Amino acid sequence: MSALEPRDAETGTADGAPIPPLPAAVIDETGGVLGRSYRALSVGIVSVVFLIAFEATAVGTAMPVAARELNGIPLYAFAFSAYFTTSLFAMVLSGQWADRRGPLGPLAAGISAFGVGLLLSGTAGTMWLFVAGRAVQGLGGGLVIVALYVVISRAYPERLRPSIMAAFAASWVIPSVVGPLASGTVTEHLGWRWVFIGIPVLVVFPLALALPAIRRRASGPPDPSAGAEPYDRRRILLALGISLGAGLLQYAGQQRNWFALLPAAAGFALLVPAVRGLLPPGTGRAARGLPSVVLLRGVAAGSFIAAESFVPLMLVTQRGLSPTMAGLSLAAGGGTWALGSYVQSRPRLEPYRERLMVGGMVLVAAAIAAAPSVLIDTVPVWTVAVAWAFGCFGMGMVIASTSVLLLKLSAPEEAGANSAALQISDGLSNVLLLAAGGAAFAALGGGTVGAVHEAVEAGGSGSHPGAFAAVFLPMAGVALVGAWVAARVRAKP
């Protein structure tokens, strides 16, 4: 499951500007998200999410083969985290762009950059060029995710937002099953490059369907009669600092020498003031209420995505599974994630939302801790599929609930800025925990698992299981910390 899934729709604009009220005629419409007034828009933006979901599941399946053929196993985590690094900057840029010019521009630019990044990765001759393509993808993904939130906040009345949120979660179910199967089949018979080169073709349908509907219902600035406000250069510079800082920390984590301390120190120096300027005060110490909601989003997404990124690689190199079967081990997660989102949306469970979130994080921690058990040959490989199904159910409850609580705890004029903070917490945690997991993986010999895979195919046995355990077990501990944070999301009366 990709950390870029737009799992909830926030109110307000992406940069904090208030949104003019919808006309009463719109609010009083009886049709749902697939009614005549919203059908084209709903199908179009859900198609965009479907594309992101398909890319996430398909690329994750092909990634182990791509990294091995490009001699880039030591940079495996970097191929994932580079995406999130550049998306951090793009999220803030997209928010300001959408607030001032409307979401149409950043959405179109984001989908285009997404496709270009896939093409760059698919034609890369070295692992570093492959990572560069993933970085371009991240720019596109960051532009798209925030623009989608602005579209929803402007185009849909409040009563319809839970329905479109549920549609977003449901749009991950089919890609979770079809993506790994299609990607694995293409990887095995045509080569991993065709997975990356082929996906941009899917960009055409969302563009053709979504953009005209967005132009009709949500284009232009919130108040066309008012002059366009200048871009907030301070926030853009902070966003640039957070991306550069995260990138330097990633690079330092891949270097196993004393010189790595220099980029690590520079990254830390850039990251700290940027995080303090872009996240709510008290986030770092899990202050009750909104700060804990924002922190929990990052802890949950970061620990889960960092662990999930290594599941296909572990199954391919240590248990000898094909890329198709390794990807399908995560397929059930799409359905259980959607089920978790549905469960938390039930009105009768609202008084128990905090308990649901605590329980969800416990499920996530248990799933991550159970995954490396397949490093023991006597443990059946389907253990991962079962564990991940439960973990995704917990994530469905937690991720959707963080957005619901964000709406309740945000004043109308702060909803957009807080929405951006939620996404930044999500993306930054993905970057930092992937970098930490990748560093531990490389330090314990993970860079040689490509050779190990050849031994497995020849009838030998996998080695370096400690490299994988060094990723999964600490992430399970981080998820348990998330259970404690989840108990602090309610503001004191």
Side-chain angles (χ1 to χ4, degrees), residues 37-38 89 144 174 185 204 206-207 222 269 279 315 323 336 339 350 396 438 447 451 458 491:
S37 298
Y38 295 100
F89 172 73
V144 168
I174 294 177
T185 301
V204 176
L207 279 175
L279 299 186
L315 295 178
T336 57
L339 179 61
E350 177 60 31

Side-chain angles (χ1 to χ4, degrees), residues 50-51 54-55 58-59 62 111 114-123 137 179 182-183 186-187 190-206:
F50 184 91
L51 168 66
F54 188 83
E55 181 275 340
V59 168
I111 295 177
F114 198 76
V116 170
L118 283 165
L119 291 175
L120 289 174
S121 292
T123 56
Q137 267 189 266
S183 175
V186 171
T187 299
L190 298 177
W192 64 268
R193 294 183 184 276
W194 286 102
V195 174
F196 290 84
I197 295 173
I199 289 178
V201 176
L202 302 177
V203 171
V204 176
F205 176 72

Side-chain angles (χ1 to χ4, degrees), residues 265-285:
F268 188 77
L270 286 170
L271 207 57
V272 171
V275 168
R276 295 184 65 181
L278 292 172
L279 299 186
T283 299
R285 55 184 174 84

Side-chain angles (χ1 to χ4, degrees), residues 18 24-25 55-56 58 64 82 150 152 165-166 183 191 204 297 306 317 434-435 441 458 479:
E55 181 275 340
V150 177
I152 293 169
M165 287 158 46
S183 175
V204 176
R297 179 62 165 259
T317 62
L434 274 167
F441 181 73

Side-chain angles (χ1 to χ4, degrees), residues 68 315-321 377 448-464:
R68 191 172 67 244
L315 295 178
V316 168
T317 62
Q318 303 298 296
R319 295 300 297 265
L321 268 65
D377 291 338
T448 64
V449 298
V452 170
H453 176 60
E454 302 298 332
V456 171
E457 289 183 328
S461 58
S463 61
H464 299 296

